[in-house]
């Protein structure tokens, strides 16, 4: 029998957890429906949206913030930073000596079959930072333990949405609730530091641009907000050219040489499936190969984003850092190992099966919720193409009070905190809690029309 989900706000005997007592008491006296409507209207008027299927979709912010006490946050942040340091080392190793493969810790087939493994990246000068920005998906199991479900190090998004979320909640919730809340503003400073640290040697005060696909991007609001806050040009591929081995960007009426590109394009590969340079790869390859340009995150970092590689991250921590992992992973099975594959098939109705290269919850089969025919088909394709899938233990996501009409109801949540700086990773205090708005739903992705909560770290 599955265990009950951990309730983030209320203890097992119905008593609010320490940081939630005041908040829940205040919410009981408010007109939740009216406040939620005003919150949504305010965000819409300010243009805070998430682009989905070619249309601007509302940023669905719940009125009730998630609160995490500093006594819980400190060890979680330490574990996240440790993990990102190991991932940064792994990416450098994969395109260098491949010591972890030679030692038999990570199988060569797991690396070489990664959808985002880029052999061409091994020919580029080694950048000082590979994983400048990481957004890790963290869940809490029924025992209350934090576990990492997925590592996002290709083009992690979402941290800039914290700012309008916090501004909106501060306008609509009674004053005093945020007393003791740790500011999230250091996230911008951490990002700026990470971008500067990635600059080629000798760049001095580096020139940085944010490269975007433009208004069609799902995170266009974030791109605009970050560029404006950092006071850096927001550019598209059409604004870039190469002169004398240097990347040059058109910014207004000026053309400026560029040292660092903060790449936020959907295309995150140097080469496509046929081995040809992608458009973004073609635009950046010459200055990258000459060592006059750095890209954050580095091309090829997607090898550490792979869902199968996730199975080996705790081993990476031990191998590269000589430390025991401070933060565990949701157990992930490698179908390329016969014993794992047999266990997956035997327990398929208990596990979650995912395409390795999938994103946004697409193609995920949740065993306990799947039809028998879907499970049989999943077992068949997994046997035929084991290298294309992974399986994970089913984790009953924790729940959090969420406004539904005029009342609070529990909804399942995860957490996306953000780490900046690669080998010197630091974690911003808070992040985005993602919430499945439908009763009982476990898929929280914005691409599946999930919602968000601001996450307050309380001193």
């Amino acid at each position: 029998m599955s265990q009950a989900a951990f309730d983030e706000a209320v203890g097992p005997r119905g008593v609010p957890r320490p940081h939630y007592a005041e908040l829940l008491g205040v919410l009981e006296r408010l007109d939740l429906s009216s406040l939620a409507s005003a919150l949504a209207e305010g965000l819409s008027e300010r243009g805070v949206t998430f682009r989905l299927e070619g249309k601007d979709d509302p940023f669905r912010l719940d009125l009730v913030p998630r609160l995490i006490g500093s006594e819980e946050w400190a060890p979680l942040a330490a574990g996240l930073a440790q993990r990102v340091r190991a991932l940064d080392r792994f990416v450098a190793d994969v395109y260098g000596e491949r010591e972890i493969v030679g030692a038999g810790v990570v199988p060569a087939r797991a690396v070489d079959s990664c959808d985002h493994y880029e052999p061409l990246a091994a020919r580029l000068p080694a950048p000082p930072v590979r994983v400048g920005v990481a957004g890790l998906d963290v869940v809490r199991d029924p025992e209350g333990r934090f576990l990492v479900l997925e590592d996002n190090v290709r083009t992690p998004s979402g941290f800039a949405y914290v700012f309008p979320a916090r501004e909106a909640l501060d306008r609509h919730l009674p004053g005093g609730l945020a007393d003791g809340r740790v500011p999230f503003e250091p996230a911008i400073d951490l990002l700026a530091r990470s971008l500067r640290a990635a600059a080629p040697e000798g760049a001095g005060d580096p020139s940085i641009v944010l490269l975007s696909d433009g208004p069609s991007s799902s995170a266009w609001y974030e791109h605009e907000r970050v560029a404006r806050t950092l006071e850096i040009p927001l550019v598209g591929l059409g604004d870039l050219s190469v002169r004398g081995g240097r990347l040059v960007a058109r910014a207004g009426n000026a053309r400026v040489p560029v040292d660092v590109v903060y790449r936020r394009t959907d295309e995150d590969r140097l080469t496509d499936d046929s081995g040809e340079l992608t458009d973004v790869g073609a635009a950046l390859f010459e200055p990258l190969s000459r060592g006059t340009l750095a890209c954050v995150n580095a091309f090829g970092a997607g090898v550490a984003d792979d869902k199968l590689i996730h199975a080996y991250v705790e081993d990476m921590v031990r191998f590269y850092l000589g430390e025991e992992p401070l933060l565990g992973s949701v157990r992930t099975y490698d179908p390329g190992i016969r014993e794992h594959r047999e266990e997956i098939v035997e327990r398929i109705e208990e596990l979650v099966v995912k395409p390795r290269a999938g994103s946004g919850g697409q193609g995920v089969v949740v065993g306990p919720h799947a039809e028998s025919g879907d499970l049989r088909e999943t077992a068949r394709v997994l046997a035929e193409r084991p290298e294309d899938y992974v399986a994970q233990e089913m984790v009953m996501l924790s729940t959090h009070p969420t406004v539904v009409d005029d009342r609070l109801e529990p909804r399942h949540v995860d957490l996306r905190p953000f780490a900046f700086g690669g080998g010197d990773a630091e974690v911003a205090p808070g992040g985005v809690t993602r919430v499945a708005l439908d009763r009982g739903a476990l898929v929280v992705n914005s691409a599946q029309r999930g919602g968000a909560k601001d996450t307050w770290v309380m001193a």
Side-chain angles (χ1 to χ4, degrees):
M1 181 180 295
S2 62
Q3 293 178 275
F6 183 90
D7 190 313
E8 296 284 341
V10 179
R13 296 181 180 177
V15 178
R17 301 188 189 278
H19 290 294
Y20 280 92
E22 181 183 6
L23 174 63
L24 293 179
V26 169
L27 292 173
E28 286 180 355
R29 303 190 296 271
L30 300 179
D31 182 342
L32 298 179
S33 179
S34 296
L35 274 177
S37 296
L39 181 71
E41 184 178 342
L43 288 168
S44 177
E45 289 175 350
R46 298 179 65 204
V48 186
T49 60
F50 184 88
R51 197 154 181 82
L52 189 63
E53 298 175 354
K55 299 178 180 179
D56 284 332
D57 206 48
F59 176 57
R60 295 178 175 85
L61 177 66
D62 185 59
L63 184 67
V64 189
R66 181 181 189 173
L67 313 182
I68 302 178
S70 58
E71 72 284 352
E72 279 197 302
W73 178 259
L76 173 59
L80 292 166
Q82 179 195 57
R83 191 178 183 95
V84 173
R85 289 197 299 271
L87 289 168
D88 192 82
R89 292 276 295 272
F90 172 70
V91 176
D93 187 24
V94 161
Y95 297 106
E97 299 300 319
R98 296 178 66 136
E99 292 178 356
I100 200 167
V101 173
V105 176
V106 177
R109 60 166 177 81
V111 174
D112 295 334
S113 62
C114 280
D115 189 56
H116 284 79
Y117 173 60
E118 301 247 30
L120 192 59
R123 293 166 44 188
L124 298 176
V129 177
R130 303 276 185 164
V131 181
V133 184
L136 291 84
D137 293 342
V138 177
V139 299
R140 201 201 289 257
D141 71 8
E143 286 78 31
R145 296 174 301 180
F146 288 113
L147 299 169
V148 178
L149 182 68
E150 292 185 1
D151 303 287
N152 300 290
V153 299
R154 284 183 290 153
T155 317
S157 65
F159 72 90
Y161 285 91
V162 173
F163 297 105
R166 190 154 296 186
E167 293 158 4
L169 290 187
D170 286 348
R171 281 197 303 273
H172 290 92
L173 289 177
L177 289 176
D179 290 350
R181 181 182 65 193
V182 179
F184 189 74
E185 279 72 18
I188 288 293
D189 294 333
L190 292 175
L191 171 62
R193 191 185 312 164
S194 182
L195 295 173
R196 290 194 297 269
E201 187 175 355
D205 184 13
S207 170
I208 303 168
V209 300
L210 192 157
L211 177 62
S212 170
D213 292 322
S216 65
S217 171
S218 61
W220 175 242
Y221 170 83
E222 179 164 78
H223 301 173
E224 288 189 304
R225 177 113 189 191
V226 170
R228 185 169 63 250
T229 304
L230 291 181
E231 299 181 337
I232 61 175
L234 176 59
V235 301
L237 284 178
D239 298 312
L240 303 181
S241 59
V242 178
R243 297 182 179 179
R246 290 289 307 274
L247 185 71
V248 176
R250 182 174 61 237
N253 295 323
R255 292 186 177 273
V256 296
V258 179
D259 300 304
V260 179
V261 168
Y262 179 27
R263 184 199 51 74
R264 292 298 304 269
T265 56
D266 288 343
E267 178 59 77
D268 51 23
R269 298 184 300 175
L270 273 171
T271 56
D272 59 23
D273 292 338
S274 65
E276 297 296 318
L277 286 171
T278 61
D279 288 345
V280 66
L284 303 182
F285 185 74
E286 181 182 347
L288 285 172
S289 62
R290 288 180 178 237
T292 63
L293 179 72
C295 187
V296 174
N297 284 344
F299 284 110
V303 71
D305 195 290
D306 188 87
K307 292 178 175 60
L308 178 56
I309 294 299
H310 176 84
Y312 297 95
V313 177
E314 291 180 70
D315 294 326
M316 291 178 201
V317 171
R318 299 183 183 99
F319 183 81
Y320 293 118
L321 307 182
E323 302 168 358
E324 279 301 305
L326 300 173
L327 180 63
S329 303
V330 173
R331 187 177 180 191
T332 302
Y333 295 89
D334 179 352
I337 299 172
R338 180 174 58 81
E339 293 83 357
H340 284 203
R341 187 164 63 249
E342 291 173 350
E343 182 172 354
I344 294 168
V345 173
E346 182 179 339
R347 299 179 53 222
I348 196 165
E349 72 282 355
E350 303 173 12
L351 302 175
V352 178
V353 179
K354 302 178 178 182
R356 280 181 70 180
S359 63
Q362 297 293 330
V364 174
V365 177
V366 181
H369 298 170
E371 301 288 340
S372 57
D374 292 334
L375 292 177
R376 287 194 296 272
E377 175 63 13
T378 300
R380 184 189 68 78
V381 297
L382 192 141
E384 289 182 355
R385 305 194 309 276
E387 70 281 357
D388 291 345
Y389 295 88
V390 300
Q392 289 183 310
E393 291 289 345
M394 171 80 174
V395 176
M396 180 56 67
L397 304 186
S398 60
T399 62
H400 194 283
T402 302
V403 175
V404 178
D405 298 325
D406 59 352
R407 62 193 180 278
L408 296 180
E409 291 190 3
R411 291 293 186 266
H412 291 290
V413 296
D414 76 356
L415 172 65
R416 178 170 288 184
F418 295 89
F420 303 87
D424 297 315
E426 294 185 59
V427 180
V432 177
T433 286
R434 303 185 302 174
V435 55
L437 296 175
D438 294 331
R439 184 193 299 271
L442 293 171
V443 179
V444 298
N445 304 77
S446 297
Q448 300 292 322
R449 301 191 185 279
K453 291 174 174 285
D454 191 11
T455 305
W456 297 3
V457 175
M458 307 301 291

